[in-house]
Amino acid sequence: MFRQFRAAVADALETALADAGYPTDDLGIEEPPDDVDATLASSVAFRLAAEAGAPPPQVAAELAEAIDPEPVTYLARVDTQGPYLNFYTDGTYLTDTVDAAATDETFGTLPDRGESVVVEHTSANPTGPIHVGRARNPIVGDAVANTLSYAGYDVARHYYVNDAGRQMAVFTWAYETFDEGDLPEPERDGDDYDLVRYYRAGNAYLDPDDDSWASTAAEREAAEAEIEAIMEGLEAGDEATYERVTAVVDTVLGGMRETLDRLPVSFDEFVKETRFMRDGSVDDVVERLQALEEAVYEEDAWQLDLHEHGIDKNFVFLRENDTSLYTTRDVAHHEWKFDEFDRAVTVIGEDHELTFRQLDTTLELLGNDTDRLEQVFYSWVNLPGGEGMSTREGTGVDLDDLLDEAVDRARAEVERRLDDRQRDDELDETDVERIAEQVGVGAVRFDVVAKQPTKTITFEWDRALDFEAQSAPYVQYVHARCCGIADEARAAGVEPATTPDPDLLDTPEERALVREIARLPAVIEEAADELEPHRVASYVRRFAETFNAFYRECPVLSADEDRAAARLALVLAARTTVANALDVLGVAAPESM
């Protein structure tokens, strides 16, 4: 409804401007101040004052007079406050909004755009558990994919698996070389925690400055020869070598997927880079790159000199032994994306910005439309000192550690609140565990996705798990309250109004809640257009404040029969709205807390 109203207001204002001989390129439509009970406002009079030779309030008044509300969808009236035009909605807007959100569980989703988008995110090298510093990638990536899906795009979620580089060759060699008895105990259960011990041992063995294995130069040289053979075997398409590496990669990746499932984050496809080596795509890319004017052979490698394209660092794409690099294979990967999808979005750490500038330029030189490729860069997640996290020597803090701690702290808070209430109908242990998981994991996800990706996050427990502040539990509580009211109404035999009378929802708190409900589709659309899911987090925080004001001032079941039915419909509309906004962010919406 908000999107329809905004479009109708824009058309009416544009017509009024054109009729008055004013330019229509900037309508200045925006949200009104909090103390103005309108749905939209326009600051266009500021821009026109000089041209009109009149003060902005006079220009605004002339435009308001020129707009007839009657044919404008949902428009009740137009008035002015100083230089601003204010646009007010009618009762049909309220009724349609409440009906739509209360009866349609998909409220907030936009029509199918007929456009496919692949979102690649996480794509952590399968060398061990996911570190907390990289936790932002799956959380932001999943939210970006959710936002685009809600906005009407056909979204595919991909994890690009690095299964061909030196790291995986080292890992494979180490796994086949060391014995279980040579390694320390795993830090915790999980295939990634089990196998990462081999990877760490292999790197220590190859490091001449690491005396934990006391390897000789001759032993290291022999190991390097075996590692090089693995890399060359992959490049040559040797099936036996591929199977050896795949056995390690798939095992580690399976453990990493168990961690991602906890968030939860899922993928439609795990795309392996060896795919593009085995099908000839990489050879084709190398041949085409060598034919470019920018191609040079320097320092025993084929490279692209990109200085004339504003990039100081060369793009290396082929080693002297004719083995490709990750970046070369990624060119083939992205050309495959362009063949399969209309758009490609990659969520990636800010330390890869230069690499992606090189990639964009290289793809363009090869004749690709790089306007179809977009990146969302993110900064890191830090933990402050003294936060009570157990850090294992030499490994830092893994995402599993963070999630364990979040659930433990959420459980303690839930149990404390139950004790404070001293209720007879306390939740059982299953309920407590469910809520602790939903709140704990939700706190991590919400706190991460609520910030602009380029800003570094310092994760703080007190803020993230605060039931009273604008955190995940604060917003989740709104959904639980809506569910509680619905359950009580059902028990009392109260039915929601199917077409609520606007006159029965006439308090400022009710009208404000309707306005916020109506905005959800527009917020999702804007978040998708800008690839900024944190806009949805900002919206849902404001929504929670608005609902809580309604909850305090507008009792449902104690109202008279007709008003109770109208307010119940509004509560059901609010429940759908907050549930779907949280779903965009990947945060659970508990039915009880």
Side-chain angles (χ1 to χ4, degrees):
M1 271 50 70
F2 178 81
R3 292 171 65 246
Q4 293 94 316
F5 180 62
R6 185 176 58 189
V9 166
D11 287 344
L13 182 56
E14 186 174 339
T15 299
L17 290 170
D19 289 346
Y22 294 128
T24 60
D25 55 326
D26 182 7
L27 302 179
I29 294 175
E30 59 192 51
E31 286 190 49
D34 290 339
D35 60 348
V36 176
D37 191 32
T39 300
L40 286 171
S42 172
S43 60
V44 69
F46 280 112
R47 176 174 63 82
L48 301 175
E51 184 173 345
Q58 180 179 329
V59 176
E62 291 172 357
L63 291 172
E65 182 68 25
I67 297 175
D68 177 13
E70 181 65 28
V72 181
T73 304
Y74 294 138
L75 182 61
R77 73 180 197 278
V78 186
D79 69 14
T80 63
Q81 186 175 43
Y84 290 94
L85 288 95
N86 297 316
F87 300 87
Y88 295 81
T89 49
D90 60 15
T92 305
Y93 181 84
L94 182 149
T95 299
D96 286 356
T97 296
V98 175
D99 276 348
T103 60
D104 183 2
E105 292 184 356
T106 68
F107 177 74
T109 58
L110 276 62
D112 185 358
R113 296 178 185 240
E115 186 173 340
S116 62
V117 184
V118 56
V119 179
E120 178 201 331
H121 67 85
T122 307
S123 300
N125 289 338
T127 53
I130 299 172
H131 188 271
V132 69
R134 296 282 181 175
R136 204 167 193 176
N137 199 320
I139 292 172
V140 172
D142 191 55
V144 167
N146 292 343
T147 304
L148 289 167
S149 181
Y150 264 82
Y153 294 95
D154 180 13
V155 178
R157 304 152 193 263
H158 284 191
Y159 187 121
Y160 187 48
V161 183
N162 177 1
D163 65 334
R166 173 179 165 79
Q167 285 181 311
M168 298 319 303
V170 169
F171 206 153
T172 302
W173 163 79
Y175 182 67
E176 295 173 348
T177 298
F178 297 105
D179 294 327
E180 171 72 24
D182 297 329
L183 305 172
E185 287 295 314
E187 295 164 358
R188 60 189 295 157
D189 290 337
D191 288 337
D192 47 345
Y193 291 92
D194 182 18
L195 264 67
V196 72
R197 299 174 300 155
Y198 294 90
Y199 181 67
R200 291 172 183 160
N203 281 300
Y205 185 94
L206 296 169
D207 184 354
D209 297 323
D210 190 324
D211 58 3
S212 59
W213 285 92
S215 58
T216 66
E219 289 171 329
R220 292 192 295 272
E221 184 177 350
E224 290 289 0
E226 292 183 44
I227 292 165
E228 186 73 15
I230 293 172
M231 295 173 65
E232 291 177 355
L234 288 174
E235 201 76 33
D238 180 69
E239 190 66 28
T241 303
Y242 174 75
E243 290 177 359
R244 290 165 60 196
V245 174
T246 298
V248 174
V249 169
D250 287 355
T251 302
V252 177
L253 195 60
M256 297 170 72
R257 291 175 68 175
E258 289 179 3
T259 299
L260 293 170
D261 286 344
R262 297 183 63 186
L263 283 172
V265 169
S266 61
F267 295 89
D268 297 305
E269 188 171 355
F270 287 78
V271 181
K272 293 182 176 179
E273 59 178 322
T274 50
R275 167 183 189 157
F276 306 105
M277 300 166 67
R278 291 158 64 83
D279 68 5
S281 299
V282 172
D283 291 339
D284 176 67
V285 165
V286 167
E287 184 177 337
R288 289 157 58 211
L289 289 175
Q290 288 174 325
L292 293 174
E293 291 182 2
E294 291 81 359
V296 296
Y297 189 82
E298 296 178 353
E299 299 178 358
D300 298 324
W302 278 97
Q303 312 178 36
L304 292 185
D305 184 340
L306 301 177
H307 285 76
E308 291 189 4
H309 301 275
I311 300 175
D312 293 334
K313 186 177 180 180
N314 283 8
F315 181 82
V316 181
F317 62 88
L318 193 68
R319 300 182 182 93
E320 62 176 326
N321 62 358
D322 289 335
T323 56
S324 60
L325 289 83
Y326 176 89
T327 48
T328 326
R329 300 185 286 271
D330 208 21
V331 171
H333 174 214
H334 278 81
E335 290 195 324
W336 171 77
K337 288 183 183 180
F338 292 152
D339 287 341
E340 298 291 325
F341 303 95
D342 298 315
R343 289 171 59 194
V345 176
T346 306
V347 180
I348 195 75
E350 61 185 5
D351 55 328
H352 288 81
E353 285 195 56
L354 174 59
T355 300
F356 267 80
R357 285 181 59 208
Q358 293 176 313
L359 175 65
D360 279 353
T361 303
T362 301
L363 287 167
E364 189 171 357
L365 289 171
L366 290 175
N368 296 283
D369 178 10
T370 54
D371 288 340
R372 298 163 58 194
L373 177 60
E374 301 163 88
Q375 291 93 36
V376 177
F377 292 105
Y378 66 89
S379 188
W380 315 123
V381 176
N382 300 319
L383 291 173
E387 281 295 298
M389 288 291 297
S390 59
T391 303
R392 300 181 181 92
E393 184 178 356
T395 65
V397 178
D398 295 319
L399 178 55
D400 278 314
D401 299 325
L402 180 67
L403 296 179
D404 286 349
E405 187 77 13
V407 173
D408 288 345
R409 289 177 181 248
R411 184 188 301 108
E413 178 63 17
V414 170
E415 290 174 342
R416 183 190 68 78
R417 286 172 169 264
L418 287 174
D419 290 341
D420 288 347
R421 283 176 169 161
Q422 296 181 340
R423 289 172 46 186
D424 294 332
D425 58 339
E426 289 184 0
L427 303 173
D428 61 27
E429 281 302 311
T430 302
D431 292 325
V432 171
E433 286 303 312
R434 170 184 56 79
I435 295 170
E437 189 75 23
Q438 290 176 322
V439 171
V441 175
V444 172
R445 286 199 61 142
F446 190 88
D447 200 62
V448 168
V449 80
K451 310 294 191 307
Q452 291 187 21
T454 53
K455 293 184 177 179
T456 301
I457 293 176
T458 298
F459 188 86
E460 297 175 357
W461 294 111
D462 290 344
R463 179 193 66 226
L465 287 166
D466 192 337
F467 280 61
E468 309 302 329
Q470 290 187 328
S471 59
Y474 177 77
V475 177
Q476 289 173 310
Y477 221 112
V478 168
H479 186 264
R481 275 179 168 160
C482 290
C483 292
I485 292 170
D487 289 344
E488 291 177 15
R490 190 179 303 110
V494 178
E495 295 291 333
T498 54
T499 306
D501 184 344
D503 292 336
L504 295 175
L505 298 173
D506 57 354
T507 68
E509 292 80 13
E510 289 164 322
R511 296 301 175 99
L513 184 54
V514 170
R515 283 198 297 273
E516 287 302 316
I517 291 170
R519 288 181 60 238
L520 177 61
V523 170
I524 289 174
E525 182 177 46
E526 292 162 6
D529 288 346
E530 301 300 324
L531 298 178
E532 293 182 343
H534 67 269
R535 293 178 181 235
V536 181
S538 297
Y539 163 80
V540 79
R541 283 169 163 166
R542 176 167 142 176
F543 183 90
E545 287 188 341
T546 305
F547 177 85
N548 286 334
F550 160 80
Y551 180 78
R552 289 191 300 269
E553 301 298 328
C554 304
V556 177
L557 299 183
S558 61
D560 64 74
E561 183 177 349
D562 290 340
R563 195 173 296 273
R567 286 179 175 173
L568 179 57
L570 182 54
V571 168
L572 297 181
R575 180 176 66 179
T576 302
T577 303
V578 70
N580 289 349
L582 287 173
D583 189 52
V584 171
L585 303 175
V587 175
E591 296 185 2
S592 60
M593 285 178 68

